[in-house]
Amino acid sequence: MADTIAHNLTAPSATPTPGPRKPVGLRTPTWAWALAPVLILALGFLYPLALVVRQSFTPESLEEGGASLTPYTEVFASTAFREALTTTVWLAVGATVGCLVLGFVLALVIAFVPFPGGKAVARFIDVFLSFPSFLITLALLFIYGSVGMANGAWTGVTGAAEGPFHFLTTPWGVLLAEITYFTPFVMRPLLAAFSQLDTAQLEVASSLGAGPLRIVRQVILPEALPALAAGGSLVLVLCLNEFGIVLFTGAKGVTTLPMLVYSKAILESDYPAACVVAVVNIVLSVGLYSLYRVVSRRAGA
């Protein structure tokens, strides 16, 4: 009997012991987490952008609080704006075409032609993307500037008073600088696309007697088209907004939309006109960026 009583006293109870109760707290609403980023975005970007748009509808002769389309009509009617728009578009399109051609050829060589240091060159492309645009322009000035290496070598050999290379201060110099700087932006998605290409297709095409050019045209190029479209769209957007390259080349006869904004706002203090040009540039950029995002999603780049 004593053993039975002792066993009953030491045996665990069949009733489960309740665990520690978790404190009941107030759940934070989902919108509260988004409040801080939205406020930062609104104050840091949307509000200044709204001021620019508002200023573009407010001519200096109009009283405060009014709005008018006069700044737009005056800017659109000016020869300077039309020339700047034309220059911006043809430079951006020309640089994009040059980057697509050069980037495709260089990416082909890096991806499919084995040579010592090929992997190091591919890694350097990623590093190159972080370089500021004025650095590339400065390098070109050291080579092709009026007192650069090329002109110095020419005068040293021929004894001439000056060298023949003066194209950097022309639209062609700006075009060369933009192609040099933005070509890696095309090469990066191309190299990623080439790395996913099934080499068995190339081997089969080669075994069937296809030459290198035919393989590039019929096998590699169709696979590279989405990456080319994505890289070209990005380069087009960046070239439309490029300011540093045009400024550092010293091409006085080359006025793009960003340069016109700088000229109107800083040199002439014509803020409504500067805001009008800025709004036009923003509309072009946002439209092309939307196109770039659509192409990128389809390309998977």
Side-chain angles (χ1 to χ4, degrees):
M1 179 66 68
D3 293 338
T4 302
I5 296 175
H7 175 73
N8 292 335
L9 291 176
T10 57
S13 175
T15 305
T17 304
R21 182 175 298 178
K22 296 181 180 180
V24 179
L26 297 178
R27 178 177 296 179
T28 305
T30 305
W31 61 265
W33 294 103
L35 185 60
V38 168
L39 287 176
I40 294 174
L41 179 63
L43 295 177
F45 176 74
L46 296 179
Y47 179 67
L49 180 60
L51 291 180
V52 170
V53 175
R54 178 186 176 186
Q55 186 66 38
S56 68
F57 288 97
T58 309
E60 295 181 348
S61 59
L62 200 63
E63 295 182 359
E64 184 177 358
S68 173
L69 291 175
T70 302
Y72 282 88
T73 56
E74 292 178 351
V75 170
F76 290 167
S78 65
T79 304
F81 172 77
R82 293 196 297 268
E83 291 179 351
L85 180 61
T86 303
T87 302
T88 302
V89 171
W90 87 258
L91 278 177
V93 173
T96 301
V97 173
C99 290
L100 289 174
V101 175
L102 182 60
F104 182 71
V105 173
L106 293 179
L108 277 178
V109 173
I110 294 175
F112 299 108
V113 179
F115 63 93
K119 293 183 178 179
V121 174
R123 293 191 185 98
F124 177 74
I125 298 299
D126 296 331
V127 179
F128 190 92
L129 297 178
S130 64
F131 288 175
S133 59
F134 71 85
L135 184 62
I136 306 303
T137 310
L138 191 61
L140 291 176
L141 288 174
F142 281 134
I143 299 175
Y144 299 109
S146 300
V147 292
M149 296 170 56
N151 284 320
W154 179 274
T155 56
V157 173
T158 63
E162 60 180 13
F165 304 104
H166 301 287
F167 62 89
L168 277 183
T169 56
T170 67
W172 301 109
V174 177
L175 188 63
L176 173 63
E178 290 188 348
I179 292 176
T180 303
Y181 178 68
F182 289 113
T183 294
F185 289 82
V186 175
M187 296 176 62
R188 183 64 268 170
L190 279 175
L191 291 175
F194 290 159
S195 65
Q196 299 176 359
L197 183 64
D198 187 5
T199 56
Q201 301 180 30
L202 306 180
E203 296 173 357
V204 171
S206 179
S207 65
L208 293 176
L213 293 180
R214 187 176 180 182
I215 292 176
V216 170
R217 185 177 66 255
Q218 296 185 355
V219 180
I220 298 179
L221 183 58
E223 297 292 334
L225 284 178
L228 280 172
S233 301
L234 177 61
V235 169
L236 186 61
V237 173
L238 295 175
C239 288
L240 282 175
N241 298 286
E242 183 53 42
F243 176 77
I245 288 178
V246 183
L247 184 65
F248 269 78
T249 54
K252 297 181 180 179
V254 180
T255 303
T256 59
L257 290 179
M259 287 294 296
L260 187 61
V261 173
Y262 172 80
S263 176
K264 291 292 185 182
I266 305 302
L267 304 181
E268 302 178 18
S269 298
D270 189 355
Y271 296 108
C275 291
V276 170
V277 179
V279 169
V280 173
N281 208 1
I282 290 171
V283 171
L284 289 175
S285 301
V286 171
L288 288 175
Y289 180 74
S290 301
L291 176 63
Y292 161 71
R293 293 297 301 171
V294 172
V295 174
S296 297
R297 281 197 298 267
R298 293 183 178 180

